[in-house]
Amino acid sequence: MKNRLKVLRAERDWSQADLADKLQVSRQTINALETGKYDPSLPLAFRIARLFEQPIEAIFQDEA
Amino acid sequence: MSDAVKPTWPRWALFFAGAAALSAIPFGLAFSHALKGAAMLVAMGVWFVAYMAYVFVGSSRLKAGRIGPAMRRYRRRLAGAMLAYCVALMGSLALLRGGALTGPLLWIVAAAPAIPILGVLVVMGLYLKEEPDEFERAVHVEAMLWGLGVVLALTTVWGFLSNAQVVPAPPLFLVFPLFCLAWGVSQPLIRRRYQ
């Protein structure tokens, strides 16, 4: 699933490690999310949305 | 800040080469007949502990900073189970060597090395339960399925071959190490797909 994580992270000047710390996941997880190859669970998607203060559908785009 | 990851594969390759060299030692000892009886048993015990230490220390240095608390607990429990396995295996072999055991005691002593291995299964289950990172969990579950697939494929083919008496019966105690090997090897390949 496509997402804007990389852009949102760059806007805040956070590294992958910074974002990983804030979400309490591993840096590898952030990497897998950003490539769009791993879709987060609903709880993690909500944590991401809360962190960036945006609705989930503004961060993740479903291509259908 | 840079997100670039330094290539770690040369260090991993060196680590696996070292592990392969250490793995050759018991075969060398067995085929050279340099040690016999109790001396061989003690040498194998020392080798096993040294091998475990190499694997645990080596992998923790290679994974520096990427080992979370759940993984650390898993590694500690695994080390404990493997040490228990070493003690149980050596004790069991020493007692069986005498050939004096019979009845239920023989059964218990013969099966004793399997108990810590069953413990390893529990340790693996606990890790999956305790790992807070869902991506890590997903990678491990997928790697376990690959391990299971490899074991089922190989033992099924081997089983039919041995039914036809083309090859001897499969040594079933090796099924678990085979599962662990396939699980370990598939992990970096699975991770690569997500990069």
Side-chain angles (χ1 to χ4, degrees), chain B residues 118-171:
Chain B
L118 299 185
V120 172
L121 282 174
V122 174
V123 167
M124 287 173 174
L126 282 175
Y127 168 70
L128 285 182
K129 195 166 164 267
E130 292 174 1
E131 175 59 64
D133 190 320
E134 60 180 55
F135 175 68
E136 285 299 314
R137 240 171 16 230
V139 168
H140 278 278
V141 169
E142 198 178 326
M144 282 172 175
L145 288 176
W146 275 100
L148 191 61
V150 168
V151 164
L152 290 178
L154 274 176
T155 51
T156 303
V157 172
W158 196 332
F160 279 105
L161 286 175
S162 78
N163 273 352
Q165 280 158 14
V166 182
V167 294

Side-chain angles (χ1 to χ4, degrees), chain B residues 13-26:
Chain B
L14 202 65
F15 171 69
F16 282 117
L22 275 174
S23 305
I25 292 175

Side-chain angles (χ1 to χ4, degrees), chain B residues 18-59:
Chain B
L22 275 174
S23 305
I25 292 175
F27 292 101
L29 280 178
F31 287 117
S32 68
H33 300 285
L35 296 169
K36 285 190 176 64
M40 183 66 178
L41 211 58
V42 172
M44 290 311 292
V46 171
W47 170 83
F48 188 86
V49 173
Y51 189 81
M52 283 287 113
Y54 174 82
V55 170
F56 275 83
V57 174
S59 60

Side-chain angles (χ1 to χ4, degrees), chain B residues 18-103:
Chain B
L22 275 174
S23 305
I25 292 175
F27 292 101
L29 280 178
F31 287 117
S32 68
H33 300 285
L35 296 169
K36 285 190 176 64
M40 183 66 178
L41 211 58
V42 172
M44 290 311 292
V46 171
W47 170 83
F48 188 86
V49 173
Y51 189 81
M52 283 287 113
Y54 174 82
V55 170
F56 275 83
V57 174
S59 60
S60 85
R61 292 188 61 170
L62 280 165
K63 288 181 174 177
R66 288 194 288 124
I67 297 180
M71 182 44 98
R72 200 167 305 125
R73 270 199 300 280
Y74 165 74
R75 290 165 61 91
R76 261 208 304 268
R77 288 169 181 157
L78 190 64
M82 293 314 285
L83 282 178
Y85 171 68
C86 178
V87 171
L89 183 65
M90 291 198 4
S92 167
L93 288 177
L95 289 172
L96 289 176
R97 190 184 289 269
L101 299 174
T102 50

Side-chain angles (χ1 to χ4, degrees), chain A residues 9 26 28-29 37 41, chain B residues 3 5 133-134 191 193 195:
Chain A
R9 182 166 66 76
S26 68
Q28 280 198 319
T29 305
K37 287 174 186 161
S41 67
Chain B
D3 288 326
V5 185
D133 190 320
E134 60 180 55
R191 284 180 199 282
R193 276 214 325 262
Q195 276 173 10

